Amino acid sequence: MSLIPARLTTTSLVLLAACGPAPTPELEEATVPEPLELPPLPAPVANNAVASVATAAGTVAFSFLGLDASKTSGGITSAAYRLEAGADSWSEIEPVPGPPRLAATAQAVSGRVYVFGGYTVASDGAERSVPEVYAYDLRSGEWTRTTSIPVPVDDAVSGVWRDSLIFLVSGWHDTDNESHVQIYDPANDEWRQGTPIPGPPVFGHTGGIVGNSLVYVDGVRVDTDPRRFTLERSSWLGRIDPLDPTTIAWERIADHPGPPVYRGAAVGVHGRIVFAGGSDNPYNYNGVGYDGRPSEPTGTAFAWDSATESWTMLEAPAIATMDHRGLVRVGGRLYTIGGMTAGQRVTAAVVPLPDP
């Protein structure tokens, strides 16, 4: 987000819940052992949407869109990369349709990866939130446009519930943050509105879903008089009603350990939502803070345990990174893909988290 003028700039759901235990998430299905070290991307990229899909042959990882090493509006890319299980390099695949953009988010359901929103930056600096949603089919390698986001958002938190519905939580829309929780049903290619967040609307927050728990932390709120972007230090738990997933009981929970997080990475896995990376100084897409100071990654990692409903500090990754859209799981390991390292350097590195 920048401070330029443009941005001062349900019946099927009940049946699903009544069918018994939740389907096993695709990320739990891989049966082939996979290496712990993964190759770097073909080119450095930050603020890229990422996802992984486990298959019988192993996990396939993806990176979509983002910002190249120039950190300029001309460096926003439509490039997409795919890493097959056991491969020693990434393959460039058909670019994501639509305009080049950053701050999109991606999630996988039933053999397709969905890429949501993001924002464009014009040559004059004007920014626009993108409504388009595109689905990539793993088998055919083809892109399909699906129903657009009702309220286009970027820098939103996303997560998959019961391997069936994709939630988009808050985020930025053209000129301000939105409090919406927008729920996409891939099976029917339709959207529903969930219970809005009760806290300040934010962008660049970090979170995920595990079981019926949706957790997000921090992000940037918009203050007025004077108008400014301020890092919001707060953590929120939403309890998703399994009989009506559009109903979410929200509550503020204890702050997570460590410094506040802007544009970190997270994913729900094995009863926990794991968080890693990010910065404690919110910044524009070039890595320079809204306060004029260059931002740096904090290098921390922590997790929310859904059984105990408590926070745990984790061992930090070997390389501190920021400017992420999510964590991916390959085999038994979690990774950040791309992002920025110290000195706002855009990286191609795929960085593993230490074993939790």
Side-chain angles (χ1 to χ4, degrees), residues 75-341:
I76 299 173
T77 179
S78 294
Y81 302 105
R82 173 173 176 160
L83 180 67
E84 300 292 342
D88 57 7
S89 63
W90 294 73
S91 300
E92 187 164 6
I93 60 176
E94 189 70 21
V96 183
R101 53 205 183 273
L102 64 162
T105 188
Q107 294 292 346
V109 173
S110 300
R112 302 176 92 195
V113 184
Y114 296 83
V115 180
F116 298 88
Y119 72 93
T120 61
V121 183
S123 57
D124 63 358
E127 301 175 4
R128 181 183 72 90
S129 300
V130 174
E132 289 94 332
V133 180
Y134 289 94
Y136 177 83
D137 187 281
L138 268 71
R139 293 186 178 180
S140 68
E142 296 179 348
W143 289 99
T144 302
R145 182 162 179 182
T146 66
T147 301
S148 294
I149 309 170
V151 179
V153 287
D154 54 73
D155 262 316
V157 157
S158 68
V160 176
W161 179 77
R162 296 173 67 115
D163 197 29
S164 59
L165 302 178
I166 301 171
F167 285 61
L168 295 185
V169 181
S170 197
W172 183 269
H173 172 64
D174 284 343
T175 59
D176 209 342
N177 288 321
E178 295 289 341
S179 61
H180 298 290
V181 176
Q182 302 181 88
I183 304 171
Y184 179 65
D185 178 358
N188 296 302
D189 188 26
E190 64 183 21
W191 289 88
R192 296 177 174 85
Q193 294 296 317
T195 306
I197 63 170
V202 285
F203 71 82
H205 46 316
T206 308
I209 295 175
V210 65
N212 293 322
S213 297
L214 191 170
V215 174
Y216 75 88
V217 304
D218 305 336
V220 171
R221 68 176 190 267
V222 180
D223 290 340
T224 57
D225 195 28
R227 183 178 170 93
R228 61 181 179 178
F229 293 161
T230 303
L231 186 58
E232 165 69 17
R233 175 64 187 244
S234 61
S235 300
W236 296 85
L237 166 64
R239 303 178 192 277
I240 302 169
D241 184 342
L243 296 179
D244 178 8
T246 64
T247 299
I248 307 165
W250 288 103
E251 63 180 273
R252 184 167 180 174
I253 55 177
D255 291 344
H256 64 81
V261 175
Y262 174 71
R263 284 184 175 167
V267 70
V269 61
H270 292 323
R272 299 196 300 174
I273 301 173
V274 178
F275 298 74
S279 176
D280 60 1
N281 183 40
Y283 53 87
N284 200 0
Y285 62 84
N286 60 4
V288 177
Y290 296 116
D291 60 3
R293 296 184 298 111
S295 298
E296 296 292 342
T298 58
T300 57
F302 53 89
W304 168 262
D305 188 297
S306 63
T308 62
E309 296 198 344
S310 62
W311 295 107
T312 302
M313 201 73 185
L314 303 177
E315 183 181 348
I319 301 174
T321 57
M322 64 186 194
D323 217 42
H324 295 299
R325 305 304 312 143
L327 278 173
V328 299
R329 183 180 177 214
V330 178
R333 204 78 178 266
L334 299 177
Y335 299 83
T336 58
I337 299 175
M340 291 185 188
T341 58

